[in-house]
Amino acid sequence: MQYAVWSLKWGGLRLQTSNAKLQTLDQSNYHRKTMPDRPLNIVYLHSHDTGRFVQPYGYAVETPRLQRFAEESVLFRNAFCVNPTCSASRTGLLTGMYPHEAGMLGLAHRGFSLNDPSQHLANYLSRHGYHTALSGVQHETTPDKRKGLGYQLLLDESLSSIQGANADESSAARAAKYLTDRLHGDKPSFLSCGFFATHRTGKVQWHNGDEPKGDARYTRPPACLPDTPQTRSDFTDYAVSAGRLDRYMGMVLDAIDRAGRREDTLVICTTDHGIAFPYMKCNLTDLGTGVMLMLRGPGFGGGRVIEPMVTHMDIFPTLCDLIGIDKPSWLRGKSLLPLVENKVESLHDAVYATVNYHAAYEPQRTRRTERYRYIRRWNLQPHPILPNVDDGASKSTLLAHGWRDVAQKPESLFDLIFDPTESCDLSQSPAHATVLVAMRNRLDAWMKETNDPLLSGSIPARSGYLINPLDGLSPQDKPDPVP
């Protein structure tokens, strides 16, 4: 049978047809609806440090609004960031490049920056007729340079309005007002709405106000952590923060419905990387690089779940296809549309990710296939890089049991079928020697293809960077400025 695929061009719609056959609604609970007769609005909802630890991904974290959204969306079960640190991850999504190609080797507030802000998605959409707005958190530049990313309107007046008490709720309210007002304009809109949740916030952890903590008695921490009263309490605090995030994102989603623009608005809901616990954020395992990713809008709906691997870099080319504009030459990702439309069984035979600088220098690279993950480290230390691990009860529990004395390994290999928690390193296994060599060689080839600065063996710190010492204990310690 034939079905219609609509492509948006300024000045009208273009109808294309394809003889490819869709699965029936009964088979996939998915149907590609006719695109609206108005240009496509885009809402990009994003959080800090949430990974996949929300209800739609099967975790015991109550996020009812995100669950309802998932049932109206296409959920990507195996979505990954390309760097499990804040600024670099967002750079991958918003430029469609690996962070080292775009220049983001660390955190924007610690002196790192994009090589070319004109390659940012907001700038690109602005050049193609979009009205662009930012509410809440971004982490691709310093607050005084936000407009240089391409945002024509900043809905938050100051940095304090983004990071102060109840800031996320204020950001959601501003975004909701923008959507109910602006979506009735002639220009299509791109709104980025970012939330500080579920980031830890220092001594009080995730709690920005007086909200009660959850009940740790009936909580289980992630499998990579010991099940103790301390880790249970720590994860319960995370779950309370996730509940707040759920409410704030729901405020923005409700505003789209109030404006009557659900049918011509694509919503992208994701996070930057894994949650802020040991072995997760800043690590190149699935627990560090795995992210929630759900899209709702024309062509994306029905509560469908997609299994093959995708990455944040696939968002930029997908948007180009959806709105009918040329893909810029720098893009590394692939459009999700062939996968969603059942034209291909997978997009990637492997995905790659990096770590360079976070609070401290910790260079790592990984290659992940459906079966195996390979991780390589440079600049090895006889202990974990603790400034790259957020403070909290889980970290304290591990340190109390000798974690400080666990040396880093030069490389690791994990079989994701028999070892889904990536805890049994096979790099010294004779039975896996062939796999190890193949993964090692393919990673080398990828590094050459992307002109990885680690090909020289190190990435020296530049003047202006703020870097914590490798033997420090906390990201809260005062960093050393590079002269």
Side-chain angles (χ1 to χ4, degrees), residues 48 115 127 150 327 348 364 430 458:
H48 265 301
N115 291 333
R127 294 196 297 271
K327 298 183 183 73
H348 308 283
Q364 309 169 60
S458 67

Side-chain angles (χ1 to χ4, degrees), residues 282 359-364 377 379-389 395 403-404 406 408 468-473:
C282 284
Y361 180 52
E362 191 175 5
Q364 309 169 60
R377 288 179 175 270
N379 196 41
L380 292 177
Q381 301 297 311
H383 53 75
I385 309 301
L386 295 175
N388 288 343
V389 184
K395 178 179 179 179
W403 190 35
R404 186 79 172 91
V406 177
Q408 294 182 332
N468 285 56
L470 294 173
D471 59 355
L473 292 175

Side-chain angles (χ1 to χ4, degrees), residues 132-147:
T132 55
L134 170 67
S135 185
V137 169
Q138 60 80 32
H139 211 165
E140 304 90 73
T141 192
T142 52
D144 58 313
K145 297 179 180 178
R146 287 178 291 169
K147 281 203 169 182

Side-chain angles (χ1 to χ4, degrees), residues 64-79:
R65 194 62 184 84
L66 288 178
Q67 179 63 33
R68 190 190 339 160
F69 178 76
E71 293 167 5
E72 302 164 342
S73 307
V74 173
L75 181 149
F76 294 88
R77 191 78 179 183
N78 289 291

Side-chain angles (χ1 to χ4, degrees), residues 121-183:
L121 179 62
N123 261 317
Y124 196 69
L125 291 177
S126 181
R127 294 196 297 271
H128 286 84
Y130 270 78
H131 184 268
T132 55
L134 170 67
S135 185
V137 169
Q138 60 80 32
H139 211 165
E140 304 90 73
T141 192
T142 52
D144 58 313
K145 297 179 180 178
R146 287 178 291 169
K147 281 203 169 182
L149 299 176
Y151 294 110
Q152 300 162 23
L153 179 63
L154 302 177
L155 300 178
D156 298 279
E157 298 87 354
S158 66
L159 179 62
S160 61
S161 70
I162 299 172
Q163 294 189 330
N166 302 314
D168 280 345
E169 186 169 8
S170 298
S171 296
R174 292 186 182 102
K177 186 177 187 306
Y178 171 86
L179 291 170
T180 52
D181 293 347
R182 185 66 187 79
L183 289 188

Side-chain angles (χ1 to χ4, degrees), residues 85-333:
T85 67
C86 303
S87 298
S89 168
R90 296 162 192 271
T91 292
L93 190 154
L94 292 162
T95 68
M97 289 186 284
Y98 291 104
H100 61 267
E101 295 179 298
M104 189 60 74
L105 297 172
L107 298 173
H109 66 283
R110 285 174 171 258
F112 297 84
S113 61
L114 295 170
N115 291 333
D116 185 359
S118 73
Q119 295 175 320
H120 192 280
L121 179 62
N123 261 317
Y124 196 69
L125 291 177
S126 181
R127 294 196 297 271
H128 286 84
Y130 270 78
H131 184 268
T132 55
L134 170 67
S135 185
V137 169
Q138 60 80 32
H139 211 165
E140 304 90 73
T141 192
T142 52
D144 58 313
K145 297 179 180 178
R146 287 178 291 169
K147 281 203 169 182
L149 299 176
Y151 294 110
Q152 300 162 23
L153 179 63
L154 302 177
L155 300 178
D156 298 279
E157 298 87 354
S158 66
L159 179 62
S160 61
S161 70
I162 299 172
Q163 294 189 330
N166 302 314
D168 280 345
E169 186 169 8
S170 298
S171 296
R174 292 186 182 102
K177 186 177 187 306
Y178 171 86
L179 291 170
T180 52
D181 293 347
R182 185 66 187 79
L183 289 188
H184 295 282
D186 294 332
K187 266 189 172 185
S189 293
F190 170 72
L191 170 67
S192 170
C193 183
F195 299 102
F196 193 66
T198 52
H199 200 291
R200 291 182 188 261
T201 57
K203 291 182 180 179
V204 294
Q205 296 302 301
W206 290 277
H207 301 284
N208 292 327
D210 297 326
E211 295 197 25
K213 296 182 179 180
D215 191 339
R217 293 177 298 172
Y218 310 113
T219 298
R220 184 177 182 85
C224 64
L225 297 172
D227 186 2
T228 69
Q230 294 78 22
T231 58
R232 288 195 293 271
S233 177
D234 204 12
F235 189 69
T236 302
D237 287 351
Y238 162 81
V240 171
S241 179
R244 281 205 311 277
L245 174 67
D246 184 71
R247 186 166 71 252
Y248 303 146
M249 287 188 168
M251 291 169 61
V252 181
L253 296 170
D254 290 344
I256 296 171
D257 289 345
R258 285 198 304 273
R261 302 303 290 269
R262 181 186 286 209
E263 296 305 316
D264 63 350
T265 300
L266 179 75
V267 182
I268 303 162
C269 180
T270 191
T271 187
D272 48 7
H273 46 65
I275 60 178
F277 285 79
Y279 308 124
M280 301 174 116
K281 176 182 177 180
C282 284
N283 287 272
L284 291 179
T285 60
D286 278 17
L287 288 172
T289 61
V291 293
M292 65 174 180
L293 178 62
M294 298 173 281
L295 275 67
R296 187 191 75 184
F300 293 85
R304 189 180 179 199
V305 174
I306 289 185
E307 297 286 344
M309 297 183 299
V310 301
T311 81
H312 270 163
M313 294 192 304
D314 299 329
I315 296 296
F316 200 140
T318 301
L319 296 179
C320 290
D321 277 354
L322 278 172
I323 63 179
I325 59 177
D326 292 336
K327 298 183 183 73
S329 60
W330 63 77
L331 294 186
R332 285 287 186 181

